[in-house]
Amino acid sequence: MLARLHSGALVGVNALPVEIEVNSGERGEPKAFIVGLPDAAVKESLNRVSSALANSGFSMPMSKTTVNLAPGDLKKEGPIYDLPISLGIIASTSGISESKLQEYIIAGELSLSGQLRNICGGVSLALLAKSSGKKGVILPPESASEAALVDGIEVLSARNLGEIAAFMQGKGELEKTLRKDSPFANGSSLEYEADFADVKGQFQTRRAVEVAVAGGHNLLMVGPPGSGKSMIAKRIPSIMPAPSPEEFLEILGIYSAAGLSQRLENKCFKRPFRSPHHSISRVGLSGGGPNPKPGEISLAHNGVLFLDELPEFGGILDNLRQPMEDGKLTISRSAGKITLPCRFMLVAAMNPCKCGYYGDSRHKCRCTPQQIAAYRNRISGPLLDRIDIHVETPAISISEIGGASLGEPSAAIRARVEAARQIQYERFNLSKKSAKTNSAMSSAQIRKYCQLSAEQNSLLSAAMEELGLSARAWDRILKVSRTIADLAGSENIEESHLLEAINYRSLDRRI
C-alpha cells in the first residue's frame, strides 16, 4: 500500500518542499530502502524508525518497503525525516488513512523509544507550510514553539510517535501551540546588566555611538588599550530599539536553521550581539561549509557584529565588503547556491598602532612609522570606506575615572534613538521603499531626503578634496548627516549636521 506525506529540506535558512512516499507490500526480501539522494543520517533513520515503531506498538512491514524522498535531485540531510517516514510506514501497513497528515508539513527526529527530539529549522518549515497552502505543521514541542511565531498556520506538537499515530486513527488530538504560549513571543523588558551609565567620560565616542545606532551606521572606534572601546561596544544593545515582529522572525529563523535557537538563554524579543574572536575562520565568519550553515555575519542579522582588535582578523575582513553593501551573502557550491541574509550593524575597535599607545599623552609609543603603517594597512581601503563613522576614543583621565558622577543612562539614549528611528520608519513607509534606516537608503532616496544647499555642497566638496575621500564616502556622509538631523528633529540637513558627519570621516587620512 502506498502512503504519501509532506516534509521539507533545509537549504541555508529556507525550507524546500519534500514529498515522502512509502510503499510496502512489495515482493522481495523484507527490507526497507530509502531513495531520493539521502545522506548518511537519513539512511540511518531506518534503524531509529524500526526501534521507535516497536516501542510504540507497531512494527516494520514484513515485506520489501521503499521510501522515496522527492524530488530526487535535492539532497536530503539530517534526522528530520524520522517522523514522517515512520508515519508513512504506519499508514502503508495498518490501513490507516493519512488524509489528515496530507494537510501538514511534518518533521522530527525520533529516539529509540519513540520520543520526539528537537530539530533545526522550525521557523523555516512553518514558512514553507504557509507558502505552500498547507494547514500547518506537526513538529516536536521545542521546534513548535519557534514555528508558532508564524501567523496564519496551525502549529501542532507531540511528545512521541504514539500521540501522532492516535491522531491519525482519529482517537485523539494533538496539542496546539499558540503564539502567545511561545517563550519567543515574550516582549523584551529591555533591561540589561550593562548600562551606559557605567561609562565615564568619552563624550565624543558616546555621541558617535548614538548616531550610529540611530541610523544603523557602521562604526569604528580607535583608541589605546583601556580607553573603554569594548566596554562601550558591549553596551550598544542596551540603546537599540526592540526588533519588530518581522525582524525577530528573521532573527529566529536564522538561529533555528543554525541549530542555536534552543540555546538562547533569554528567549524574548532582543537583537543579536555577536562578538567572534579574531582567530575565526572564513567559513565561521561568512558561513558555508560542506553543508552550508549561517556564519557570524548572518547570526548578527538585524543586530550588531562586534569585531574587537579589527586588524588581527587579517584577510578574512575582505569577506565583509559585499555583505555590508548588499545585506545578503550568496554562497555557491557545486550542488547549487544559497543566499543568507546578513544586514547587520558593524561595530569595530582597534588600537592606533601595534603597541597601542600612538598619540597617547601618558604612554610613549614604541612603534616605528613603518610599523604603524603596516599595522593600519591590515585594514583595506575598500573596507574602511564602507564604515560610516570613525571616532577616536582617547584614554580617560584619572579625574574622570575617580569621579563619582555616572554617565547618561541607556534608557535616556534609547529614547532619542527610538524617536529618530520612528522618523525614518515613517519616512520610508510613506514612500513605500524597502529602506528601514538611513544607512540602507538607495541612491534615489539619498537624492530625495539628503538635499544640500549650494553652500553646503561646496563645503562637502572641499572636505572631500582635503581628505581624499571616495565617491562612496560622499553618500555615507550624507546618510550620517540625515541621521544627525533626525536626532535633532530637523526636517532639513543643517551645516552643523554636515560638519559633524564630515568629522566622523577624519580618520580616512590617518589609517
Side-chain angles (χ1 to χ4, degrees):
M1 183 176 175
L2 178 65
R4 292 186 178 91
L5 299 92
H6 299 277
S7 188
L10 198 61
V11 179
V13 297
N14 299 314
L16 301 180
V18 172
E19 183 179 39
I20 297 177
E21 300 174 306
V22 180
N23 190 53
S24 61
E26 303 176 39
R27 291 184 179 181
E29 182 183 355
K31 190 175 181 180
F33 301 88
I34 297 182
V35 297
L37 211 57
D39 72 348
V42 178
K43 292 177 181 178
E44 290 173 352
S45 69
L46 287 176
N47 298 316
R48 293 189 295 271
V49 166
S50 176
S51 180
L53 287 172
N55 287 305
S56 302
F58 301 94
S59 61
M60 291 291 288
M62 297 305 295
S63 62
K64 179 182 176 182
T65 302
T66 302
V67 178
N68 181 39
L69 308 179
D73 60 347
L74 176 65
K75 189 173 183 180
K76 319 304 186 305
E77 300 170 342
I80 70 172
Y81 304 106
D82 291 1
L83 178 58
I85 288 175
S86 62
L87 294 175
I89 290 174
I90 294 174
S92 68
T93 57
S94 303
I96 297 173
S97 172
E98 81 279 7
S99 57
K100 276 188 178 181
L101 302 180
Q102 287 279 349
E103 300 174 336
Y104 298 90
I105 296 291
I106 305 170
E109 179 182 354
L110 288 173
S111 68
L112 298 184
S113 65
Q115 297 294 312
L116 285 177
R117 289 176 173 163
N118 180 46
I119 59 169
C120 300
V123 172
S124 301
L125 292 168
L127 291 172
L128 171 63
K130 184 175 182 178
S131 63
S132 58
K134 297 295 182 183
K135 185 176 180 181
V137 292
I138 299 178
L139 299 170
E142 295 87 353
S143 301
S145 66
E146 304 171 7
L149 294 186
V150 179
D151 293 324
I153 63 167
E154 185 178 67
V155 179
L156 303 181
S157 65
R159 293 182 295 272
N160 55 63
L161 178 60
E163 291 182 2
I164 305 179
F167 175 70
M168 291 175 63
Q169 297 168 338
K171 297 179 180 179
E173 294 294 329
L174 296 179
E175 181 180 353
K176 291 184 179 180
T177 303
L178 304 178
R179 183 187 182 94
K180 64 181 182 65
D181 299 325
S182 172
F184 295 101
N186 296 330
S188 172
S189 62
L190 289 181
E191 294 180 357
Y192 297 85
E193 294 182 3
D195 194 283
F196 265 92
D198 304 326
V199 180
K200 298 182 178 181
Q202 300 296 4
F203 299 108
Q204 182 179 358
T205 303
R206 290 162 62 101
R207 169 63 176 177
V209 168
E210 181 178 337
V211 173
V213 175
H217 302 289
N218 300 318
L219 170 71
L220 172 62
M221 296 178 284
V222 183
S227 59
K229 302 184 298 295
S230 299
M231 180 183 184
I232 291 172
K234 292 175 182 178
R235 282 157 175 75
I236 287 178
S238 69
I239 65 172
M240 297 188 77
S244 66
E246 294 77 13
E247 288 176 322
F248 187 75
L249 189 61
E250 293 175 355
I251 296 169
L252 184 59
I254 294 170
Y255 272 75
S256 177
L260 300 176
S261 56
Q262 296 302 326
R263 302 179 196 174
L264 295 176
E265 295 180 2
N266 191 3
K267 298 175 181 177
C268 66
F269 274 63
K270 287 186 179 179
R271 296 180 183 274
F273 180 87
R274 305 295 298 184
S275 180
H277 190 261
H278 57 73
S279 61
I280 192 171
S281 66
R282 290 180 184 272
V283 171
L285 182 66
S286 301
N291 302 323
K293 292 287 185 180
E296 289 293 334
I297 63 175
S298 291
L299 294 173
H301 181 64
N302 288 334
V304 174
L305 176 66
F306 176 48
L307 301 182
D308 202 3
E309 304 295 343
L310 186 66
E312 301 300 330
F313 283 83
I316 67 172
L317 287 175
D318 285 331
N319 287 30
L320 297 177
R321 286 157 55 179
Q322 180 261 336
M324 288 171 65
E325 200 76 19
D326 300 337
K328 60 183 179 181
L329 173 67
T330 300
I331 300 174
S332 298
R333 294 291 182 267
S334 58
K337 64 180 181 180
I338 63 171
T339 299
L340 301 172
C342 54
R343 188 167 295 283
F344 54 88
M345 174 184 166
L346 175 65
V347 177
M350 63 175 287
N351 296 327
C353 64
K354 189 172 181 61
C355 77
Y357 295 110
Y358 177 72
D360 189 344
S361 59
R362 294 187 297 167
H363 297 84
K364 183 177 180 180
C365 175
R366 303 188 300 271
C367 302
T368 65
Q370 292 78 12
Q371 288 175 325
I372 294 174
Y375 180 76
R376 295 180 172 183
N377 285 338
R378 294 182 187 179
I379 305 173
S380 68
L383 177 66
L384 187 66
D385 213 24
R386 288 168 167 81
I387 301 178
D388 306 343
I389 297 176
H390 315 149
V391 61
E392 291 185 337
T393 308
I396 60 175
S397 65
I398 300 300
S399 60
E400 289 175 318
I401 296 175
S405 60
L406 297 176
E408 187 178 22
S410 294
I413 303 174
R414 186 171 62 247
R416 295 195 296 268
V417 168
E418 290 176 341
R421 286 282 184 105
Q422 185 60 38
I423 292 173
Q424 295 167 57
Y425 292 154
E426 292 176 359
R427 174 187 299 139
F428 300 128
N429 286 338
L430 287 173
S431 60
K432 297 182 180 180
K433 299 294 183 180
S434 59
K436 296 181 180 179
T437 59
N438 289 331
S439 64
M441 280 193 289
S442 65
S443 298
Q445 289 172 324
I446 293 174
R447 289 193 298 270
K448 182 176 181 180
Y449 300 118
C450 303
Q451 296 180 7
L452 301 179
S453 65
E455 294 78 7
Q456 292 172 339
N457 196 72
S458 298
L459 174 63
L460 180 53
S461 298
M464 294 284 291
E465 289 289 340
E466 176 69 22
L467 298 176
L469 302 180
S470 69
R472 182 183 287 111
W474 177 286
D475 285 349
R476 294 189 180 276
I477 289 174
L478 291 179
K479 291 178 181 180
V480 174
S481 300
R482 181 66 266 171
T483 299
I484 297 171
D486 290 341
L487 282 168
S490 174
E491 183 177 351
N492 299 316
I493 296 176
E494 306 294 341
E495 183 174 324
S496 60
H497 307 149
L498 185 61
L499 287 171
E500 182 178 353
I502 293 172
N503 183 59
Y504 290 139
R505 303 296 306 187
S506 61
L507 293 176
D508 279 342
R509 60 184 174 182
R510 301 185 56 189
I511 295 184

